[in-house]
Amino acid sequence: MGFHLINCFFICNFAGKLRNDQMEFIPTSIKDVFIIEPKVFNDQRGYFFEVWKQAEFNEHIGKVDFVQDNESKSSFGVLRGLHYQRGSFSQAKLVRVIKGSVFDVAVDLRRDSETFGQYVGAELSEENKRQLFIPRGFAHGFLVMSEEAIFTYKVDNVYAPQAEASILWNDEQIGIKWPIAVENLLLSEKDKKAVPFSDAEYF
């Protein structure tokens, strides 16, 4: 009984604070791409924060039916991207880092967008606990800036190998300014052979 009482005090104490403190949804330079910053409650025991809250997400961004969570582990200098799935297999993503730090990038592939061909870059880390929401119609990639990083993300469409596509990480037209020297980058053979932006399939 004592255990339940203590747990109830702990949960109710935090819940009372959370009623008046929402996540912050920060617009980026590209429409529909958001940085989400949680309210983190720290004390001598550690910390607590809400990672995902559907009601707040729907209010600020809109309804997205996430169907799967993925996780990857990478070492310093690993660059994954720029990946997307073609056509109706496109995926919206909600990405974050639970260990380490990455430079995360979303490239706008929507033909009718004012920012077509432009990118947003943001540091996501275990310290800032930020998330990046990337809607359908974008290519996505990230570069590990810490010794190791654990990267996790939600998607609203399942993996479809027949529809996967990649754009060159160093495409000159997009012009991403990666924060680590080229000689320290580690890419898969598939990503090294990706196509330039001019040959990509757009939305």
Side-chain angles (χ1 to χ4, degrees):
M1 185 157 101
F3 173 79
H4 290 294
L5 285 172
I6 291 169
N7 261 354
C8 180
F9 175 80
F10 175 81
I11 293 167
C12 293
N13 185 40
F14 273 127
K17 294 179 182 178
L18 287 168
R19 288 190 196 103
N20 299 318
D21 294 273
Q22 298 183 336
M23 299 176 187
E24 186 176 1
F25 291 77
I26 305 168
T28 67
S29 58
I30 295 183
K31 185 181 178 182
D32 302 324
V33 178
F34 286 85
I35 291 171
I36 302 172
E37 197 167 86
K39 296 293 189 291
V40 182
F41 300 94
N42 295 282
D43 63 21
Q44 68 273 19
R45 299 165 295 177
Y47 67 79
F48 173 89
F49 70 97
E50 291 184 340
V51 175
W52 158 252
K53 194 170 185 179
Q54 187 175 29
E56 288 190 19
F57 188 92
N58 290 355
E59 178 185 350
H60 292 277
I61 292 178
K63 185 173 174 57
V64 178
D65 294 319
F66 292 115
V67 297
Q68 184 173 316
D69 282 22
N70 300 323
E71 181 176 305
S72 68
K73 177 181 175 182
S74 307
S75 57
F76 173 78
V78 167
L79 196 162
R80 299 179 184 265
L82 302 160
H83 302 153
Y84 66 101
Q85 293 191 163
R86 297 185 294 268
S88 61
F89 295 100
S90 182
Q91 295 174 313
K93 296 179 179 181
L94 180 61
V95 307
R96 72 185 185 105
V97 169
I98 58 176
K99 180 181 179 181
S101 174
V102 310
F103 180 66
D104 199 77
V105 171
V107 180
D108 195 346
L109 302 182
R110 303 170 299 180
R111 289 180 184 272
D112 296 335
S113 171
E114 293 181 357
T115 51
F116 175 64
Q118 298 180 29
Y119 76 93
V120 165
E123 181 182 355
L124 308 178
S125 71
E126 63 180 306
E127 283 80 22
N128 65 31
K129 295 178 173 49
R130 286 182 159 191
Q131 301 180 66
L132 187 69
F133 172 70
I134 306 163
R136 293 190 179 194
F138 282 74
H140 170 254
F142 67 88
L143 170 63
V144 178
M145 299 189 294
S146 52
E147 183 178 349
E148 183 178 88
I150 297 178
F151 186 89
T152 183
Y153 57 104
K154 295 179 177 293
V155 294
D156 73 337
N157 214 344
V158 297
Y159 171 60
Q162 74 276 16
E164 65 178 353
S166 298
I167 298 172
L168 279 170
W169 65 276
N170 60 348
D171 181 86
E172 292 183 359
Q173 187 173 344
I174 300 172
I176 298 171
K177 299 185 187 304
W178 299 102
I180 291 178
V182 174
E183 58 267 24
N184 293 325
L185 301 183
L186 179 61
L187 292 95
S188 69
E189 290 303 314
K190 184 166 66 173
D191 285 346
K192 290 178 183 177
K193 297 174 182 175
V195 303
F197 178 77
S198 58
D199 292 338
E201 291 191 31
Y202 312 129
F203 294 91

